[in-house]
Amino acid sequence: MALAGPVYGELLSGVVASVVGAYWVAGLGAPAVAAVTLAGTVENLLLGLVLVVASGTTVRLAHAHGAGDRAGAGRVARAAWRLCALGSLLIAVPGFLARDLIAGVFLDGEAAALAADWFTVAFPAFALFFAQRIADELFKGVGDTRTPLRTALLGNALLLVLDPLLILGPGPFPALGVTGAALALTASRAVALAVTALLRRRHRQPAPAGGPFAEGLLAEGRAIAATGAPFGLDFTARMGVGTVQLGMVAAFGVSAVAGYGVGYRVLLIVTMAFYAVRQAAAIEAARLTGAARRAGADPAVAVRSLARDTARLAGALGAGAALLCASAARPVAALFTDDPAVVGEAVGFLRTAGLYLLPYALVVALGGVHQAAGAGRRPVVAVLFGLTAQLASGAALSGPFGVRGLWVGMTIGALVQLALLLLPLPRRRAGTTRSEPGRNGPAPGTGVEAHTALSGQPVDGSDGPAVQDRTAL
């Protein structure tokens, strides 16, 4: 909880700021709302790529920190910044040049023009967003989740002030509309990043030998990308399925879509707690693995104990969220709208979601432990199969049960994911997969040994778990 609490506060502050910003933009009319909605969707898609580097950085740095490897920690930090610079360049330049095309693919008329105005500001400033995520993860990788919370609160507080000033233009301020919203977001991120850079000076890591293109940095960059890939794939897959599900809900009318939107915002607030636990568990799993290998010990016992603690915490949060949604669905939905049809749809969604939240909490939180312990392939497979089951069962059940069949499909998908995540792996004969010991991190995707640590299932036919050192990528 010491790690997870500040992460939840950081995530929640961002949601609050975005909701307030959406309120100010709503006063500009439907084209402005459509433009900002598209901008948010594009940024969320790009976030999947950012998460590959950011999450990989956290895990690799936490492992090096746990192992007491200062040189390895320095390699991680410098490789992460180089990946950030490369990624920002590859996204910002093509995005800026194609801003009108991107806007025109999804929107037309005034809405497309306003979206292009947003992208004119947002794509050149994308490096601020990417750099802030990397800086935050460098703090989290050494166990400091409070500093990212403080800088997030600073940036989001500034955004709350700048949004009405630059969007509506009271007094001497110009009314810039959608462009003003983009400028407010950019300015708030720039200030937060500047403060973060000053704070980072206290945590400088030793520079690796060989200069900026040393072989160690190139190898570390590949390792960061490989370690973070499961996190990015998980996020992107869920985003894609969420978009498909929204289209399926739209077939049941405007009230169903509006009710789903209200319920989704409520779920977003509670499920962020699950993702906070996931981040904290991933940091701790990587640190414990590094510390165990530094001591020449088997990390299986420590990681298995962490998995049990994580499951208990996530289970308690999931059960509490389910009870809250079931008992307070109607008064919470009434806070967002007074349309009885929309309230009815939102209440139905939230009450059915109670069945979904407990398995989903366990999937999200335990996935962080798996991925940080080197078993990233299994959570990705579980997510892909589970989301496929969600869409298939939702489509099948929506015929006889209407839109509520889609909500039941969400629960079925979460249960499939949890079952696959906990399914014991087949035993394999000893000595068949041993590799060279890793340098400073678990090898992503070498899931047999890491899953053994989490489930306690032996892989070699012995009486206890067999966790082998793996080659670090």
Side-chain angles (χ1 to χ4, degrees), residues 54 73 106 146 261 318 371 435:
F106 298 96
R146 293 184 179 276
Q371 289 166 340
S435 303

Side-chain angles (χ1 to χ4, degrees), residues 75 78-83 207-219 221:
R75 270 195 308 273
R78 282 161 178 77
W81 284 123
R82 282 156 180 75
L83 288 173
F213 300 103
E215 182 180 351
L217 282 182
L218 295 175

Side-chain angles (χ1 to χ4, degrees), residues 405-445:
L406 296 177
W407 313 150
V408 175
M410 294 171 60
T411 302
I412 293 172
L415 289 172
V416 170
Q417 292 175 56
L418 183 60
L420 292 174
L421 199 61
L422 298 179
L423 186 69
L425 288 172
R427 296 181 178 184
R428 63 174 62 182
R429 300 174 66 179
T432 58
T433 59
R434 187 175 295 274
S435 303
E436 294 290 330
R439 180 176 61 200
N440 77 331

Side-chain angles (χ1 to χ4, degrees), residues 153-439:
L153 291 175
L154 170 65
N156 290 322
L158 183 59
L159 181 62
L160 291 176
V161 173
L162 291 178
D163 262 341
L165 296 180
L166 297 182
I167 293 173
L168 303 179
F173 294 93
L176 300 176
V178 168
T179 301
L183 289 171
L185 182 60
T186 299
S188 65
R189 286 176 173 172
V191 171
L193 182 59
V195 172
T196 303
L198 291 175
L199 296 175
R200 278 292 308 160
R201 297 177 63 182
R202 302 182 316 201
H203 297 271
R204 287 190 180 276
Q205 303 290 350
F213 300 103
E215 182 180 351
L217 282 182
L218 295 175
E220 188 60 54
R222 291 192 294 269
I224 288 173
T227 305
F231 293 89
L233 287 172
D234 181 302
F235 176 85
T236 303
R238 294 187 188 280
M239 282 289 300
V241 168
T243 302
V244 173
Q245 174 139 315
L246 179 60
M248 295 169 71
V249 174
F252 293 93
V254 174
S255 294
V257 173
Y260 175 59
V262 170
Y264 183 81
R265 284 175 173 80
V266 176
L267 282 196
L268 187 62
I269 294 173
V270 299
T271 56
M272 279 191 303
F274 309 160
Y275 281 93
V277 173
R278 177 195 186 98
Q279 283 194 40
I283 294 168
E284 188 64 6
R287 187 193 68 79
L288 288 173
T289 304
R293 289 181 177 167
R294 178 187 185 187
D298 188 342
V301 175
V303 174
R304 190 161 58 245
S305 176
L306 173 65
R308 285 195 296 266
D309 292 342
T310 300
R312 281 194 288 266
L313 177 57
L317 289 173
L323 290 174
L324 179 64
C325 286
S327 61
R330 187 165 296 279
V332 168
L335 294 175
F336 291 86
T337 179
D338 55 3
D339 186 322
V342 175
V343 169
E345 295 289 354
V347 169
F349 172 71
L350 289 172
R351 287 179 175 168
T352 310
L355 302 173
Y356 159 79
L357 288 172
L358 179 55
Y360 183 66
L362 293 169
V363 167
V364 169
L366 289 176
V369 182
H370 273 78
Q371 289 166 340
R377 195 173 299 168
R378 171 173 283 252
V380 171
V381 171
V383 166
L384 293 178
F385 275 95
L387 293 179
T388 301
Q390 172 184 325
L391 292 179
S393 59
L397 293 173
S398 63
F401 300 109
V403 72
R404 280 167 176 72
L406 296 177
W407 313 150
V408 175
M410 294 171 60
T411 302
I412 293 172
L415 289 172
V416 170
Q417 292 175 56
L418 183 60
L420 292 174
L421 199 61
L422 298 179
L423 186 69
L425 288 172
R427 296 181 178 184
R428 63 174 62 182
R429 300 174 66 179
T432 58
T433 59
R434 187 175 295 274
S435 303
E436 294 290 330
R439 180 176 61 200

Side-chain angles (χ1 to χ4, degrees), residues 3 6-7 135-150 202-203 283:
L3 291 173
V7 174
D136 287 346
E137 302 310 314
L138 292 175
F139 281 110
K140 293 176 183 178
V142 296
D144 179 4
T145 57
R146 293 184 179 276
T147 297
L149 168 62
R150 296 187 185 104
R202 302 182 316 201
H203 297 271
I283 294 168

